[in-house]
Amino acid sequence: MTGEMFEIEGERKKRVCYFFDSDVGGFHYGPGHPMKPTRIRMCHSLVMNYGLYKRMEIFRAKPATKREMTQFHSDEYVDFLSRITPSNMHSFVKEQHKCNVGDDCPVFDGLFDYCAISAGGSMEGAARLSRDKCDIAVNWAGGLHHAKKSEASGFCYVNDIVLGILELLRYHSRVLYIDIDVHHGDGVEEAFYTTDRVMTVSFHKYGEFFPGTGELRDVGIGKGKYYALNFPLRDGINDDSYKSVFEPVIQQVMESYDPAAVVLQCGTDSLAGDKLGCLNLSMRGHANCVKFVKSFNKPLLLLGGGGYTMRNVSRAWAYETGLATGVELGADIPVNEYYEYFGPDYQLDVKSSNTEDMNSPAYLERVKNIVMEHLRNVGGPPSVQMMDIPTLPIDAEMDDMNQDEDLADPDERRPQSLLDRRVQASGELSDSDDEDEGGRRDHASHRDGDSSSSNGRRPHKFGMGVGIMTAGPTHGVGPSGHTTIAPALAPMDVDALPANGEAGGDGADAPAAGAGGGSPKPPLAEELEVSDSRNGR
């Protein structure tokens, strides 16, 4: 029996592609680590048992390859991630220290496979958006916004967001990145700090809080000046206060920047009751951001991120998946394999607490006015020189949408891949006899062998500074590991990437992605977290 769904009146029908790999729930960061990939499988269980699979196409993206990861990350770093395991990690002590792996970002079984699944979903989602095969792409396994060019940070190893944006930039002139995680989206901001092809907007807790970046005065540099916007928040912000700043800022961003595509990082550690967060959003307050961004009818990539109270993470992402498809999920959680996690009330909603809101209306208004002033300096949407779209391996595979059908069992009347691509017509009252709502979760792995899990070994700790898991009320001061040095230029020049069909200014001369960043500035004065994709990548 599926849960209740209610059509949202006046909603324009969207084509939604949803990416899920059943292997992702089998990875484990280690004993006591707050990041638990099982939350993604919990969310998927709600998505399926509410019956949302009838309203969208479901894909299992092909994991990203090492070559695809090196479009942003350094060859040396990607090779290190692919080689290190818990059994050989003591042979890589120097590399671990250099790449900030071993404390917040431990070595665990299947580490590279986990990164490949996360990045694969975001890159394929971006590729489908670019080719107009969907209006919204959803990858809750993505959103790992702290990873740098050659360094892990804040539980993130490979920055799937940057890889997804680079894919979008091959077809779109401008991409807007919005981050509603409690932590600053430092890895994405740093990657595009010197270009106007991407505008990054982050709403986050600031002030003795990981990663220590994202001050109001950090606005980008060179050609990217005023294309990085930060809205620093204090503890305990509630739904009304958040909405009062989020909506006017994003409205002005859309008018001033006019992006061709939008990436929204939906980290749920900004929800009330999160184990590492300190904000006070309800599920509906968090989801309002998704609903508002969706209303602009731009190609939209929805990604996961932080979120460390698993039952709340899965609730919020399932509800937001429903909003993407044009429905509101009913309050009563349907029976599912994680049902006991949602007791004692078994209700979908995540409510705000009575935490005091330290963000006074005067403070929010002052910060909003400064952010709006930065936006006025943009002076209208930048344009980019039109050129041929560079060819990548993903193109051949995306062009042959039925390449995997030859592998389907000829004795199976309707292959699972075909069923997962079906979308139920509006007004259809009954399920078809092919839609077994109870048995669509257990699919064969795309990898040989069992899903990886931690062997329980505690990783070697290097004492490289304060990170995201630091005990105490502030949860961390400054960047995890050590001060980030401005990285070398990335292998792909963002401003040289073509934007199909948009002619204009001389965009090919700006610095490449990956430049910028650096040590955080001093704080401002007090006034101021299925099936194989048969036609996948």
Side-chain angles (χ1 to χ4, degrees):
M1 185 69 182
T2 58
E4 289 185 299
M5 296 186 292
F6 305 97
E7 293 274 355
I8 301 174
E9 291 186 11
E11 278 283 309
R12 194 166 131 192
K13 183 73 173 175
K14 300 285 188 181
R15 298 167 297 158
V16 180
C17 288
Y18 171 91
F19 293 91
F20 173 73
D21 191 318
S22 57
D23 288 346
V24 76
F27 298 104
H28 195 262
Y29 275 63
H33 200 288
M35 175 63 102
K36 295 177 170 35
T38 303
R39 67 203 177 123
I40 301 161
R41 194 152 64 185
M42 288 176 64
C43 170
H44 182 69
S45 182
L46 288 179
V47 164
M48 298 301 283
N49 284 282
Y50 266 107
L52 287 172
Y53 63 86
K54 303 170 190 175
R55 305 181 59 86
M56 58 191 183
E57 293 184 282
I58 300 177
F59 297 97
R60 184 182 212 166
K62 292 184 178 177
T65 63
K66 291 172 67 174
R67 178 181 175 184
E68 287 172 331
M69 292 180 187
T70 56
Q71 291 179 73
F72 171 61
H73 294 286
S74 67
D75 294 359
E76 180 186 23
Y77 177 62
V78 172
D79 184 62
F80 163 71
L81 290 179
S82 68
R83 293 169 58 197
I84 192 167
T85 66
S87 58
N88 68 12
M89 58 186 289
H90 296 295
S91 302
F92 291 93
V93 173
K94 181 179 178 181
E95 291 86 350
Q96 287 183 74
H97 191 280
K98 179 180 178 182
C99 298
N100 196 26
V101 171
D103 195 356
D104 278 0
C105 303
V107 179
F108 56 86
D109 283 330
L111 169 59
F112 186 77
D113 293 330
Y114 169 74
C115 296
I117 289 172
S118 170
S122 297
M123 294 181 71
E124 186 168 329
R128 288 182 174 277
L129 288 169
S130 293
R131 292 160 178 80
D132 195 31
K133 299 187 184 302
C134 63
D135 302 308
I136 300 176
V138 182
N139 177 35
W140 297 129
L144 304 180
H145 58 171
H146 294 305
K148 310 295 195 303
K149 180 182 173 71
S150 301
E151 178 185 321
S153 176
F155 314 158
C156 308
Y157 304 85
V158 170
N159 200 315
D160 64 285
I161 305 173
V162 172
L163 294 172
I165 291 175
L166 287 173
E167 173 60 32
L168 289 172
L169 287 172
R170 297 174 60 222
Y171 285 78
H172 297 289
S173 54
R174 296 175 298 280
V175 175
L176 170 63
Y177 171 70
I178 305 170
D179 193 312
I180 58 174
D181 195 289
V182 71
H183 300 97
H184 177 231
D186 57 335
V188 184
E189 179 186 280
E190 182 177 296
F192 301 109
Y193 208 62
T194 63
T195 180
D196 58 6
R197 293 285 305 278
V198 179
M199 176 174 279
T200 60
V201 185
S202 180
F203 298 81
H204 53 270
K205 156 74 175 172
Y206 180 77
E208 295 196 346
F209 194 74
F210 180 88
T213 54
E215 197 207 352
L216 185 56
R217 291 177 293 188
D218 291 338
V219 294
I221 196 170
K223 193 167 185 179
K225 191 170 185 180
Y226 300 118
Y227 291 93
L229 299 178
N230 289 293
F231 202 112
L233 301 168
R234 297 170 176 168
D235 289 0
I237 192 168
N238 57 38
D239 293 352
D240 292 338
S241 295
Y242 203 95
K243 182 176 182 178
S244 73
V245 295
F246 181 85
E247 292 192 357
V249 167
I250 297 303
Q251 179 73 46
Q252 188 59 48
V253 165
M254 290 292 185
E255 294 174 4
S256 299
Y257 190 61
D258 189 26
V262 180
V263 178
L264 177 58
Q265 197 266 18
C266 303
T268 49
D269 44 10
S270 48
L271 290 172
D274 189 81
K275 291 179 180 178
L276 295 185
C278 54
L279 304 185
N280 193 26
L281 296 183
S282 71
M283 180 190 75
R284 294 178 188 278
H286 190 275
N288 179 69
C289 299
V290 176
K291 193 172 183 178
F292 186 72
V293 173
K294 179 192 171 189
S295 70
F296 290 94
N297 297 316
K298 304 277 189 181
L300 176 60
L301 179 60
L302 287 180
L303 303 176
Y308 309 101
T309 302
M310 289 199 298
R311 61 186 181 275
N312 292 347
V313 174
S314 52
R315 283 171 163 130
W317 286 347
Y319 184 78
E320 288 163 3
T321 305
L323 291 181
T325 66
V327 296
E328 188 170 327
L329 301 184
D332 295 325
I333 289 179
V335 175
N336 63 87
E337 59 193 307
Y338 297 99
Y339 191 63
E340 65 276 10
Y341 281 77
F342 302 104
D345 58 357
Y346 304 99
Q347 296 291 294
L348 185 68
D349 202 12
V350 179
K351 295 181 171 61
S352 298
S353 68
N354 59 356
T355 301
E356 181 183 1
D357 186 354
M358 305 302 293
N359 300 268
S360 67
Y363 170 77
L364 293 176
E365 187 64 25
R366 280 196 298 272
V367 175
K368 184 177 74 173
N369 289 337
I370 294 172
V371 171
M372 293 295 196
E373 181 62 33
H374 292 160
L375 270 172
R376 281 190 282 274
N377 289 318
V378 168
S383 53
V384 59
Q385 187 175 8
M386 187 170 65
M387 47 194 345
D388 291 334
I389 298 171
T391 302
L392 293 176
I394 186 174
D395 295 302
E397 297 180 22
M398 289 296 291
D399 290 341
D400 184 2
M401 300 303 292
N402 301 311
Q403 60 177 313
D404 289 340
E405 287 188 357
D406 294 339
L407 304 177
D409 185 351
D411 297 325
E412 187 178 358
R413 179 167 294 180
R414 295 186 181 178
Q416 188 65 51
S417 59
L418 177 62
L419 295 178
D420 284 328
R421 290 204 297 269
R422 292 180 58 185
V423 177
Q424 182 170 293
S426 299
E428 188 172 327
L429 300 179
S430 61
D431 299 328
S432 85
D433 53 4
D434 295 286
E435 291 179 320
D436 175 12
E437 295 184 15
R440 296 168 60 89
R441 288 186 293 269
D442 299 322
H443 304 297
S445 170
H446 66 81
R447 297 186 289 115
D448 293 330
D450 298 331
S451 296
S452 301
S453 60
S454 173
N455 64 357
R457 292 182 62 175
R458 188 169 291 277
H460 182 69
K461 295 183 181 292
F462 298 98
M464 294 187 294
V466 183
I468 193 171
M469 292 194 295
T470 301
T474 61
H475 307 298
V477 183
S480 174
H482 51 277
T483 301
T484 304
I485 299 174
L489 295 181
M492 180 178 290
D493 187 343
V494 172
D495 298 288
L497 284 170
N500 196 19
E502 174 124 6
D506 188 12
D509 299 326
S519 304
K521 297 180 176 62
L524 194 65
E526 191 55 27
E527 288 143 358
L528 289 167
E529 142 211 278
V530 169
S531 61
D532 277 322
S533 177
R534 310 300 180 187
N535 46 1
R537 285 185 12 260

